[in-house]
Amino acid sequence: MDRVRFKLFSDRTFSDCIVNFVGYEFCTPGHSFGPAIRPSYIIHYIISGKGKFYCNNDEYELHENNAFLIEPNVMTFYQADFKEPWEYIWIGFKGNKVDEILKRMGLSYQNPILFAEENNNLQNIVEALLSTDSSGLKEELKRQALLYDFLSFLCKNTIYSKSISQSNEIRNNNYLVQAIEFIQNNFYHKINVADVSSYL
């Protein structure tokens, strides 16, 4: 298998959330990128190995099944470990609904890390994206579906969905819904009341 594979796209049919590029890399020891500001949203998912990610003056030590978000216009830097360099896949995307989607997933430059156990599914999605071409609408539709599939595997299930569907009071309180989503998606980040308040 090649150490690096990637593909760029220039889809224009959709505007809510579209794929810009996708790739895979088995990094060499100490391989790094940045410090840099990127023009698109990018999610890296770590298949194996480990490394460090720097964002918003915070340092994160990451490993297998972690994913990290890079937002547009935010300075970031990341580096593979020198002894156990990471192998990862990535997907770059943009659109006028991306910010809203990521916030509902609990992701932002302030909370850029998540954990997922969908290793094979996410790799298969990236492989499928790499196999698409620019021949027309059918391929764009396929990429659109695969992008949402990728995000759905990273999105945590919410435990309050039944309560919302059964309670008009909860469903109609946007702040309460957002607070519950934020807590559900970020409890493993050691958040506190101030974090919830700041998010709201």
Side-chain angles (χ1 to χ4, degrees):
M1 182 182 287
D2 296 336
R3 293 189 71 91
V4 182
R5 288 178 293 141
F6 65 91
K7 192 172 276 190
L8 305 173
F9 305 106
S10 56
D11 297 351
R12 292 192 174 90
T13 303
F14 305 98
S15 60
D16 286 353
C17 187
I18 59 173
V19 182
N20 290 127
F21 49 85
V22 64
Y24 159 88
E25 184 167 6
F26 193 155
C27 295
T28 55
H31 171 77
S32 65
F33 191 95
I37 294 175
R38 312 296 286 276
S40 301
Y41 293 89
I42 308 169
I43 292 178
H44 287 72
Y45 177 77
I46 303 164
I47 299 168
S48 65
K50 57 186 181 178
K52 291 184 179 181
F53 174 60
Y54 300 84
C55 176
N56 195 34
N57 296 318
D58 292 316
E59 175 185 322
Y60 302 91
E61 293 190 14
L62 304 176
H63 50 78
E64 180 180 351
N65 293 333
N66 283 147
F68 60 92
L69 169 71
I70 295 173
E71 284 194 10
N73 306 314
V74 175
M75 184 73 72
T76 59
F77 173 81
Y78 48 100
Q79 183 171 38
D81 188 73
F82 284 90
K83 293 182 178 178
E84 299 176 51
W86 50 24
E87 172 187 15
Y88 52 44
I89 51 178
W90 71 84
I91 186 167
F93 52 102
K94 64 181 179 181
N96 53 34
K97 292 285 188 180
V98 172
D99 188 54
E100 178 185 341
I101 291 168
L102 293 176
K103 280 181 180 175
R104 292 191 65 191
M105 290 174 66
L107 283 173
S108 70
Y109 73 92
Q110 296 160 318
N111 290 294
I113 310 301
L114 55 82
F115 180 85
E117 294 181 353
E118 301 291 349
N119 194 311
N120 289 332
N121 289 319
L122 293 171
Q123 287 184 74
N124 290 339
I125 291 169
V126 167
E127 287 293 336
L129 283 163
L130 286 167
S131 72
T132 64
D133 58 43
S134 300
S135 61
L137 179 60
K138 182 175 181 177
E139 295 293 289
E140 283 195 45
L141 288 167
K142 186 185 296 184
R143 279 191 289 279
Q144 190 73 13
L146 289 166
L147 171 59
Y148 285 126
D149 209 16
F150 186 92
L151 293 174
S152 75
F153 278 118
L154 290 175
C155 187
K156 298 292 182 187
N157 291 322
T158 51
I159 60 174
Y160 63 86
S161 57
K162 289 184 181 177
S163 300
I164 288 177
S165 65
Q166 294 168 0
S167 169
N168 286 332
E169 183 180 352
I170 294 175
R171 186 171 57 239
N172 294 330
N173 187 330
N174 192 41
Y175 285 114
L176 181 56
V177 171
Q178 288 184 52
I180 294 171
E181 282 184 342
F182 181 78
I183 293 167
Q184 179 66 28
N185 292 327
N186 294 280
F187 67 90
Y188 46 87
H189 289 305
K190 299 179 181 177
I191 58 172
N192 56 36
V193 174
D195 295 321
V196 178
S197 176
S198 177
Y199 174 75
L200 294 176

